[in-house]
Amino acid sequence: MTIEKIVEQALQDGYLTPAMEAEVGRICDTASELSIEEYMALDRLMGALLTGEVVAVPRKQFINVMEELVLTEAISRVAEIEAASDTTLDLGDIAAYALNRLPPLYATTEEGANFQRDTARGELADLIAEQVRQAIARNLDKPEFFPERQTIQKKADDSVLNQVSSLLQDHAYKFETTDKK
């Protein structure tokens, strides 16, 4: 999609979605030079955003509560096994295996997350424990035929400064920067 079409859509709808915002950023980052039409479209978009004619839809933050419940269970079980033997288990593999066999429990608010936690502890605790047990058994039984496998790495540009900048952009979207000279 072109910048012009994105701006036209945003002006028509009255909002700029995170996907549209990302596409504008991608186009601007990858283009060595923007055409005069693209600059004019960006100028129209900025003006519409400043006047409120177009609003940027905030990025919705969410979590999968099941991840923390599985990790809590897995850490506890792995610690017991590693303390009682010379076995080293892969916590990431164990958690991923169990999570792939459990329902996600997403929440967008603290209240929702607390509700999901309470519900899961009451209704899914046995299922979580069983999936973690199966994941540990599988991890203990895995052959060493992939010694060259590579774990998922952070992006090279994932410095603390970039992480803080990203966090601020996600949580402080209502604030504008002003130059005071």
Side-chain angles (χ1 to χ4, degrees):
M1 186 179 266
T2 66
I3 292 175
E4 294 92 338
K5 287 184 181 182
I6 293 170
V7 171
E8 183 180 310
Q9 186 70 47
L11 290 170
Q12 177 184 333
D13 296 343
Y15 59 86
L16 183 69
T17 67
M20 294 162 75
E21 184 181 345
E23 183 64 12
V24 169
R26 186 194 64 75
I27 291 168
C28 291
D29 287 344
T30 59
S32 59
E33 284 188 27
L34 296 176
S35 69
I36 189 70
E37 292 82 12
E38 290 170 323
Y39 277 114
M40 289 173 60
L42 286 173
D43 189 53
R44 284 181 53 211
L45 179 60
M46 292 304 294
L49 286 166
L50 289 171
T51 63
E53 181 183 355
V54 171
V55 295
V57 177
R59 290 178 182 90
K60 191 68 172 175
Q61 298 297 315
F62 56 89
I63 61 167
N64 181 359
V65 174
M66 186 59 79
E67 289 179 10
E68 72 181 52
L69 298 172
V70 165
L71 276 172
T72 300
E73 179 71 18
I75 289 168
S76 178
R77 299 300 143 244
V78 166
E80 289 173 4
I81 292 168
E82 289 183 348
S85 68
D86 62 352
T87 304
T88 302
L89 296 169
D90 188 326
L91 184 62
D93 281 355
I94 291 166
Y97 184 92
L99 284 165
N100 283 330
R101 285 149 185 82
L102 291 164
L105 298 174
Y106 287 99
T108 59
T109 64
E110 283 301 320
E111 296 80 8
N114 289 333
F115 174 81
Q116 294 286 41
R117 282 183 199 100
D118 293 343
T119 301
R121 287 182 185 127
E123 298 174 14
L124 300 172
D126 292 340
L127 182 60
I128 292 168
E130 177 57 28
Q131 291 305 320
V132 169
R133 276 193 293 277
Q134 288 180 18
I136 289 171
R138 181 131 178 141
N139 195 262
L140 286 168
D141 196 34
K142 75 175 181 187
E144 290 295 327
F145 57 84
F146 285 119
E148 72 282 350
R149 73 184 190 146
Q150 296 178 13
T151 59
I152 296 173
Q153 300 294 317
K154 289 184 180 179
K155 294 178 186 171
D157 131 18
D158 220 6
S159 68
V160 172
L161 180 60
N162 287 333
Q163 290 176 26
V164 170
S165 175
S166 176
L167 184 66
L168 288 173
Q169 288 173 2
D170 288 345
H171 294 287
Y173 59 88
K174 292 180 183 176
F175 294 94
E176 292 183 25
T177 58
T178 55
D179 269 342
K180 295 182 180 178
K181 293 183 181 180

